[in-house]
Amino acid sequence: MSETSGRSGPRGDELKPRLSESGAPGAGVGADEGQLSRRRFLKVLGAAGGGTVALAGCAGGEPERLIPYLLPPEDQIPGIATWYASTCRECPAGCGLHVKVREGRAIKLEGNPDHPVNAGKLCARGHAALQGLYNPDRVRGPMARAADGTFQAIAWDDAIARVAERLGAGQGPAVWFVTGAESGTFDRLVDEWLAALGSTGRVVNEPFGYEALRHASREVFGVEGIPSFDLGSARYIISFGADFLETWLSPLALTRGFVQSHGYRDGQMGKFVHVEPRLSLTGMNADEWVSPVPGTEGLLALAMAHVVMTERLAPQAPDVARLRPLLEQHAPGAVAARCGVPAETIERLAREFAAAPSVALPGGVGTHHEQAHGTAAAALVLNYVAGNVGRTVHVAEGAAGAGSAARGGYGRLVQLVEAMRGGQVSVLFVHGANPAYASPAALGFTAALERVPFKVSFSRFLDETAQWADLILPDHDPLEQWNDVEVSPGVRGLQQPVMQPVFDTRQTGDVLIGVAQRLGGRVAARFTAATYKDYLRDTWRGVQRDVGAAGEFEAFWTQSLQRGGVWTAPRTPPRATLAATVARLSVVPWEAPADRLTLIAYPSAVLHDGRGANRPWLQELPDPVTKITWGTWVELHPETAAEFGIAEGDVVELTSETGSITAPAYLYEGVRPGVVAVPTGQGHSAFGRYAQGRGANVYSLLPAAATAFGGAAHYVAVGMRPSGEHVRLPKTEGTPRQLGRRIARATTLAAMRGEAHEEEHAAHGAAPVPEHIEDVLHEWEDAQRREWENRGNYAGEHPRWGMVIDLSRCTGCSACVTACHSENNIPTVGPELVKRGREMSWLRIERYFEGGGEHPFETRVVPMLCQHCGNAPCEPVCPVFAAYHTPDGLNGQVYNRCVGTRYCSNNCPYKVRYFNWFDYQAPEDPRTFAFPEPLHLLLNPDVTMRSKGVMEKCTFCVQRIRGAQHQARLEDRPLRDGEILTACQQTCPADAIVFGDLRSPDSRAAQLAADPRGYHVLEELNTKPGVVYLTKVRNVAEA
Amino acid sequence: MATLAHPETPAAARVTPTYAEITRDIVATLGKPGRTWYVVFGLVLAVLGWGIFALLYQIRFGLGVAGYSPPVMWGVYITTFVFWVGIAHCGTLVSAVLYLFRSAWRTAVYRTAEVMTVFAVLTAGLFPLIHVGRIWYAYWLIPYPNQRQLWVNFKSPLLWDVFAVTTYLTVSTLFLIVGMIPDVAAARDKMTGWRKKLYELVAIGWRGTDQQWRHYLRAYLYLAALATPLVLSVHSVVSWDFAMSIVPGWHTTIFAPYFVAGAIYSGLAMVITLIVPLRKAFKVERYIHEDHIENLAKLVLLTGMIIGYAYAMEYFIAWYSGNPYERAAFYNRAFGEYWWATWTMIICNAFLPILLWFRKVRRSIPAMFVLSLFINLGMWFERFVIIVVSLSYEYEPYAHGHYTPSWVDWSILAGSFGWFFMWFLLFAKNFPMVSIAEVKEIIPMPRRERAHA
Amino acid sequence: MRFRWAMSASARLARVAAAVAGALLLFLVFRPGGAPRAQQPRLTGFTAPTITDTAALPGPRQPIFYRHDVHAGQYQMDCRYCHFAAEASQHPGLPTLSTCMGCHLLAGAQIAEVQKVREAYNNRQPVEWIKVHNLPQFVQFPHMLHVKANIACQDCHGPIETMPQVYQFASLKMGWCLDCHEQRKASTDCTVCHY
């Protein structure tokens, strides 16, 4: 990686001071941290770089050393971050990244603003990629299984030799290769490589493969690939179980479209209806929740299509006639009973749907029952009948090879397992997939592995699959490697190494090429490129031709690297028409045996298919719906719970035909009675200290057989019984109801338009503050301000930093929470301390339930962070001025002045101050150490580490404020509005957060704050917060 | 003028002691400690030692080892702090206020009360330190000039505490020592060895001359006058730690008088708890008996009624104010997850004292002893309820929480009793626990029998 | 000169290039009529003394007896020639060995200490300097703003240009910072330095 060797390598004085600050005020800690950083550095950076090293803490007497570079690294100035463009590989969405690198360490990920997919935003999983890079449980070098079954470190050459030797025997057809969803050069490489070996055993294993949708698109339009949905230009969105704000297809792109359509703007907003028996995070954002009998979403969609067709609500394409026989059978009256949704509701929905430019979203993984392709197809049909295809729905051939049925999909994995059982697999390669975990236990993947004589894993972690391998050739982390992704036709993202590899890993591409070269002969001949990078560049010569970019390739290459890839305006595909196969379409709903419950194994918004489970940030990120961390839970409707006599926290045992799991119950009105829902992602038996032995793996309940559409069924009939055990759920929430305190406010569109009166008023009978009191308050306030203003630092003009949060945009996705962790060195504390309410997250998404019972069930979210009150209760009570008011309107918190009386926290009505109960950043106490080496390398050197006994809280990213101010000063210019982005604002996929100077009238924040929807939380306390919330607007008929 | 001989008690038991007897009896309490004393003392030291271990453990690993769970940021430590400060109050009341009111019966019990005061403040003073996150920087709470040009925040009630408690400690210590001078002098004349030296020191050359007595009584009077306002001020300041905040259940104007009454209440109870065994152990039943207990009981009754009223008022105002947060907080107190704590406090502090309307109870020493124990318990729980329960149920519903003390909390609480009794026992063996001089003052002058018919 | 043979052609090329670049930079730095900036040493016509007893010198002993008084004093090199980041970053920046070689490829070959530098460079073995100026923990010190405000390096680092061996001149404690901030009417708000 010679390219990076120059630019990486921390220069003297950077890392160390910060790291020893990470120690307690005492010295010893600093020393140890220093030691850590030193060893790490010399490893990480090699001779080219160097680091300052605390051979001992300041008090240790021993002096600190400064180690300069030998050669000046180009494009790096110590103390100033360098940014590199890359692509996120945490899920197949392929968002663009900007990686912040300080002194050779990647310390923060942000979205690439120019990228068509995520436009500068990043989700929680994306941020946590950093903890994949620095994960303490990464495989640190090539390993081979020794005779005694343990892994022994070996040299790379040796490793490659071993592989080559195995493959030498010309056993081409018996070689199989499992990868995750790859859609770029690596995908091509693997295919070529296998072809060279004479193998056809390519398996693409992406647990969330959307096989149903592919199948439906094939059946309905005869098109191979996943349709794209343009929410932005729709005014009416109906989702049949698609969790498009969480995991479905491309969550960030869809979130952007969703807020564009559904976010309230001067009297206008779209409507969103969610149809699913379980209310997901996505569903929580819906104006209307239709909860049908599980598996009948398809019938409902067809019934709507029926109405649209019979009432001629939309101009009909001639080929709609093909659907007539199908739709005839699905009159609302006919299906209403089956769906458990009244016919008039269906008709209303259909009319609303047809009235506006609309889009219907076919179900996601959470709706994958045996016949889910029917559901998906029905939704596509509805779109077609309403004339959305070509308008809001675009059907196109998928990007090259993105898991087409031939090589991808769960069905393909089943074939592999059969082959393994049959002993037809002699060599198995696994890269970027963990089928031993993320496939139904009944499939017996692990058992079948034993029949494979030679298993090679390229996994970066010792996961459930890798632990059985004979050879582990750890791949680079995506942030260390060269690669590319073809997200969708015309959108190609590039990955470049942003730093020296942390460990002795090697890019799998290079390994494959290396093996080929060692095999020599025909195989080697196939690969002219010496390294994978060259191979990649060759591909990109082709790309240059495709996009028709003129000029030197080098120029094109560097430019692409800087941009993070190339994207051309998507060619609008020819308007799809119905395929002949559509006539055969049938929608068979899911049926659970009468005496059993329907279990929905829904995709976790946080841990995805389980790949996120070894990232402490994600483990500690409260689930957006249940607010539970670090574990698995079973969602039950209170009625169901009452039937079984189950209370929250009671451990229940779920038993399907293929297995059983136990997990604590969580009572949730957002699941239909008779349904239990369990998230994916937990219950790892390997995969490192953070994932192992936590919660239960819901895959072990799912049936082994592949469904008709070649996917894994995520619906299964289960029996449930309380185990008699009771645990306290590690959730971050106290009371789920607002008690009428109007913290998360909502109104209706009608009310905003003045057509109806806002129902909601001060629910509690607090009398309005009388005039004269108001006057007194204002006088007092002015007096106070005058007093401030002619005192030292407070004299003269200062900004008043503030924030505006638009609740009608915020979806509750929690990306901001993880971004905050990453920016501000916030430690994770683990489940036991979360149970004690000691989580440290400076920013939390409060989720409140409304209604329920006979009233419509409603949920609201409100991001709660330090309100930076103008009249802050925390300030006067601090005996030592550790909490004080800065001239620019922040509630300053001076960590090194804090004695830890915690009075400020008692007096904070918003409860946004967090106390360091332990030394989370001191290695001496492994029970609480939050940054085991090399995880500490992701710490932000601009933010002080807080030691034990100190209070901390949101600072409005003061380091960013000061940074921008310094820059402005250096350039002799005033600060520009929007120059300062707080970490949460920067990453918010819904653009719900705006930070700025509330005092300057023309700042965006100030203008938004003047919105009539604006309010302060608990304003009756007269704390004069600096955070303004804009009331959520719900597009419903009546309040 | 009260006499030691009470009309009701059988004359046999009530032979008025002579001056000589008094000196003898009371100085006898300073004799060589018996086995029981050593056993008790050893026990006390063991408990203290365990508490100290817990504290060191907490300092090493951080406050996390205590039971704190946000939003409950104050717990057993502050509860215990207020508890001990409260205990401390009765001393000044009995010695100073009653002295000014010339109620002679105090003479028998005031020494115990004062000693208790000093050591209770000594104990209470530890807790603000124990509870801070970085005890090694606790000195930052003291205003002192430094190169960092940093100062303390005089707006913070916590700072007021620092001053209130230190002042109270100084004054009460002074008051105790001054009160002891004549006795120590008396003891000095009986003693030998190192204790003689000690007493000589404390007695500051007391010879009991007429002039010395005149000055002494003046000084004592003025000190009493000086100490009296502290009875009100100190605990008012402590109560403002809470009243000055915006926490529902804390932010109440009634707090100052409510806390003062509570303090005296708990203090009196503690005095009873202490002197009942004391009089047995030191065989001074002649000097401390039913009359004194009854007088204390009457004060307990009075303050108990005030407390009961305060409780009622808190709830009434919470409802009457119409403030939803207050209402929620108080509803939560009575019927929330901490109902048991609340009801313990109400029963012990507001209902049990009703028994004191009965003279029989007031004059029954065992009954009073048991009752005093209940009151001590109740008063600890009062502080627990005010602090923990209020904090667990504040403004932000999402952030409601619940708190259970850990073994460290309990150990340090126990340790504080160890600390207190260590001093108390040491004192009891080295200084007269009953004022020799003042007891002499109130017995009838020794005169020849039948001086006049 | 034996090690020259050991060198690869590319390395030789690099050295020559470095030499040229160094010479060029030197010219730029010392170009006639260049208005003296705050960062420029103040004395002219100063000749660094010959040190016989290095043990007597204040300050920690460095692996190489690098003399600021010779470079910054006698030759009046601008501080920022080596501490290149001081104007742009919160960290002043430490000269890379190649910066040294820029001159010492040709200059001072006979000096023993310079030999050490060359060896280190050839063995690709970075020199481990002893850190002299230690700020207290938990404080941010943006060098660039202080340079921007025309604070001379000497104000905090002392008469570096006359120090044969560098020692910590000022206490660098908070009170010391505040004095200066108050004199110059700079902000003394806590979160200016503590965050």
Side-chain angles (χ1 to χ4, degrees), chain A residues 190-216:
Chain A
V190 175
D191 283 347
E192 278 191 13
W193 193 76
L194 284 177
L197 293 172
S199 153
T200 56
R202 174 77 190 274
V203 180
V204 173
N205 174 240
E206 186 67 20
F208 299 166
Y210 310 107
E211 296 89 346
L213 185 48
R214 296 176 188 283
H215 190 280

Side-chain angles (χ1 to χ4, degrees), chain A residues 154-492:
Chain A
I154 57 173
W156 272 108
D157 294 349
D158 180 13
I160 287 170
R162 295 188 191 208
V163 177
E165 170 194 344
R166 279 293 183 149
L167 294 176
Q171 47 196 221
V175 176
W176 287 63
F177 203 124
V178 182
T179 66
E182 293 285 346
S183 57
T185 306
F186 183 69
D187 189 62
R188 203 186 92 231
L189 173 70
V190 175
D191 283 347
E192 278 191 13
W193 193 76
L194 284 177
L197 293 172
S199 153
T200 56
R202 174 77 190 274
V203 180
V204 173
N205 174 240
E206 186 67 20
F208 299 166
Y210 310 107
E211 296 89 346
L213 185 48
R214 296 176 188 283
H215 190 280
S217 152
R218 205 160 46 241
E219 272 192 338
V220 178
F221 302 115
V223 173
E224 181 62 55
I226 291 183
S228 64
F229 302 88
D230 173 8
L231 305 193
S233 49
R235 306 299 294 158
Y236 193 93
I237 303 168
I238 185 164
S239 159
F240 294 94
D243 55 333
F244 62 87
L245 298 178
E246 293 150 83
T247 64
W248 194 65
L249 303 184
S250 186
L252 290 184
L254 290 165
T255 305
R256 194 163 73 252
F258 173 67
V259 288
Q260 190 181 335
S261 149
H262 189 260
Y264 174 86
R265 204 178 301 98
D266 33 38
Q268 296 303 320
M269 71 184 284
K271 181 168 183 177
F272 169 35
V273 178
H274 192 75
V275 185
E276 196 183 7
R278 172 190 176 264
L279 195 61
S280 60
L281 166 65
T282 310
M284 276 168 37
N285 286 278
D287 301 300
E288 185 175 348
W289 172 40
V290 179
S291 162
V293 174
T296 60
E297 296 92 344
L299 298 180
L300 200 143
L302 288 184
M304 285 175 67
H306 174 101
V307 176
V308 175
M309 184 184 68
T310 49
E311 298 186 6
R312 301 211 149 278
L313 298 174
Q316 317 243 309
D319 55 357
V320 168
R322 288 186 181 169
L323 293 164
R324 195 165 287 282
L326 174 71
L327 296 186
E328 290 305 338
Q329 309 155 17
H330 294 88
V335 301
R338 289 290 299 283
C339 303
V341 179
E344 43 283 1
T345 311
I346 300 177
E347 280 153 12
R348 177 174 54 83
L349 291 175
R351 298 199 185 98
E352 290 174 355
F353 185 77
S358 57
V359 62
L361 304 178
V365 176
T367 61
H368 276 190
H369 56 84
E370 280 93 344
Q371 300 293 334
H373 55 306
T375 314
L380 293 179
V381 165
L382 174 58
N383 275 319
Y384 193 79
V385 173
N388 294 338
V389 175
R391 271 205 329 227
T392 55
V393 179
H394 301 292
V395 186
E397 295 291 336
S404 62
R407 48 221 283 282
Y410 175 71
R412 179 66 172 157
L413 188 66
V414 177
Q415 292 172 12
L416 168 63
V417 172
E418 279 153 9
M420 293 199 291
R421 283 222 195 77
Q424 301 142 20
V425 180
S426 64
V427 184
L428 177 67
F429 295 94
V430 182
H431 176 276
N434 185 8
Y437 165 82
S439 66
L443 179 62
F445 183 89
T446 314
L449 270 180
E450 290 171 9
R451 302 293 310 282
V452 181
F454 192 61
K455 305 168 284 292
V456 181
S457 169
F458 297 103
S459 174
R460 282 141 51 212
F461 308 100
L462 202 57
D463 57 30
E464 286 81 351
T465 313
Q467 68 183 346
W468 301 110
D470 303 290
L471 201 58
I472 302 183
L473 311 176
D475 192 4
H476 279 334
D477 183 274
L479 292 170
E480 299 166 333
Q481 63 179 221
W482 290 101
N483 213 342
D484 65 347
V485 182
E486 187 170 8
V487 181
S488 61
V491 179
R492 294 190 185 79

Side-chain angles (χ1 to χ4, degrees), chain A residues 674-695:
Chain A
V675 175
V676 296
V678 178
T680 59
Q682 294 284 22
H684 284 270
S685 61
F687 202 35
R689 68 193 73 176
Y690 297 110
Q692 203 161 349
R694 246 175 244 302

Side-chain angles (χ1 to χ4, degrees), chain B residues 159-191:
Chain B
L159 204 70
W160 308 345
D161 255 11
V162 174
F163 294 111
V165 174
T166 41
T167 319
Y168 193 48
L169 182 60
T170 340
V171 173
S172 50
T173 319
L174 245 145
F175 203 56
L176 171 68
I177 293 174
V178 170
M180 284 195 309
I181 290 175
D183 295 11
V184 174
R188 172 195 60 195
D189 306 338
K190 297 258 173 310
M191 286 299 161

Side-chain angles (χ1 to χ4, degrees), chain A residues 25 627 728 732-735 737-739 741 743 764 766 836-838 844-848 864 873 875-881 895-903 905-911 913 915 917-918 924-925 927 947-951 1017-1018 1020-1021, chain B residues 57 59-74 131-138 140-141 148 150-159 240-242 244-247 250 322 324-325 328 391 393-400 402 404-406:
Chain A
K627 294 296 159 188
R728 178 118 151 265
T732 59
E733 163 190 74
T735 306
R737 299 270 171 174
Q738 297 198 60
L739 314 174
R741 294 182 180 183
I743 287 159
H764 49 66
R836 276 201 168 283
R838 292 177 182 173
R844 61 173 188 258
I845 307 291
E846 297 189 348
R847 190 262 303 106
Y848 289 112
M864 185 51 64
E875 287 163 6
V877 296
C878 176
V880 293
F881 284 121
Y895 306 126
N896 45 327
R897 176 65 170 166
C898 179
V899 178
T901 67
R902 307 186 297 290
Y903 200 168
S905 176
N906 288 343
N907 219 30
C908 171
Y910 307 96
K911 290 285 166 274
R913 300 182 141 262
F915 188 73
W917 299 105
F918 294 105
E924 302 73 83
D925 187 358
R927 300 169 307 168
S947 65
K948 104 184 138 191
V950 166
M951 189 65 73
V1017 171
L1018 301 174
E1020 60 268 44
L1021 295 179
Chain B
Y57 180 80
I59 293 171
R60 166 66 185 82
F61 289 106
L63 275 184
V65 299
Y68 293 110
S69 36
V72 182
M73 290 291 194
W74 289 357
H131 110 113
V132 296
R134 302 203 289 176
I135 189 170
W136 49 93
Y137 287 137
W140 284 352
L141 270 74
R148 301 208 275 344
L150 293 173
W151 205 235
V152 291
N153 178 5
F154 287 104
K155 275 188 190 165
S156 170
L158 288 182
L159 204 70
W240 291 335
D241 281 350
F242 308 102
M244 290 289 164
S245 81
I246 63 171
V247 178
W250 286 11
Y325 307 109
L391 287 174
Y393 205 79
E394 268 196 61
Y395 293 94
E396 197 79 6
Y398 186 93
H400 288 169
H402 42 104
T404 34
S406 77

